[in-house]
């Protein structure tokens, strides 16, 4: 992580599914696990696991960051589809600060 991007998104070490599985978002204040239905899909269907009770704004920011990092649209059933460019992300703030 650098000073402009104070977070990281990566595949869980325990991910044994190949085309689907758990990924992790982490920043200095939180760690959020989420499942991706199929990495091969042109839009990733995301399920945020229940480690944190995220507000709608926090969940939207999480989805924006995921989309910007993987450079494809993401979808969550309550929010819908989001596609974001990395240049529009303020990576200096934690998800918790939204």
């Amino acid at each position: 992580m650098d000073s402009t991007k104070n977070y990281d998104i990566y595949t869980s070490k325990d991910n044994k599914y190949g085309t689907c599985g758990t990924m992790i978002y982490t920043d200095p204040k939180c760690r959020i696990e989420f499942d991706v239905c199929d990495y091969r899909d042109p839009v990733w269907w995301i399920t945020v696991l229940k480690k944190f009770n995220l507000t709608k704004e926090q969940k939207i920011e999480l989805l924006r960051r995921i989309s910007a990092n993987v450079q494809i649209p993401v979808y969550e059933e309550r929010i819908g589809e989001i596609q974001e460019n990395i240049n529009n992300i303020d990576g200096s703030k934690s998800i918790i600060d939204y």
Side-chain angles (χ1 to χ4, degrees):
M1 292 188 266
D2 62 36
S3 61
T4 58
K5 182 183 171 210
N6 201 20
Y7 66 93
D8 201 10
I9 298 172
Y10 55 93
T11 304
S12 170
K13 289 185 280 187
D14 299 329
N15 190 354
K16 300 174 184 161
Y17 302 114
T19 59
C20 62
T22 302
M23 294 189 72
I24 298 167
Y25 165 91
T26 185
D27 68 37
K29 293 184 179 180
C30 70
R31 173 187 159 104
I32 301 169
E33 294 181 9
F34 59 95
D35 282 342
V36 178
C37 289
D38 191 334
Y39 299 128
R40 300 169 298 178
D41 283 347
V43 176
W44 280 11
W45 288 58
I46 303 287
T47 303
V48 177
L49 304 179
K50 301 295 183 203
K51 300 271 181 184
F52 277 86
N53 285 330
L54 299 176
T55 66
K56 184 176 182 180
E57 291 78 20
Q58 290 168 333
K59 191 176 278 189
I60 289 170
E61 183 60 24
L62 174 65
L63 296 171
R64 289 179 67 235
R65 290 178 185 201
I66 295 168
S67 174
N69 276 268
V70 298
Q71 300 177 346
I72 62 172
V74 298
Y75 179 87
E76 196 275 338
E77 76 175 318
R78 292 193 176 124
I79 305 294
E81 185 176 314
I82 291 180
Q83 183 169 12
E84 192 58 74
N85 183 300
I86 196 72
N87 296 325
N88 297 331
I89 300 294
D90 177 3
S92 65
K93 293 173 62 176
S94 171
I95 291 292
I96 301 303
D97 296 331
Y98 283 85

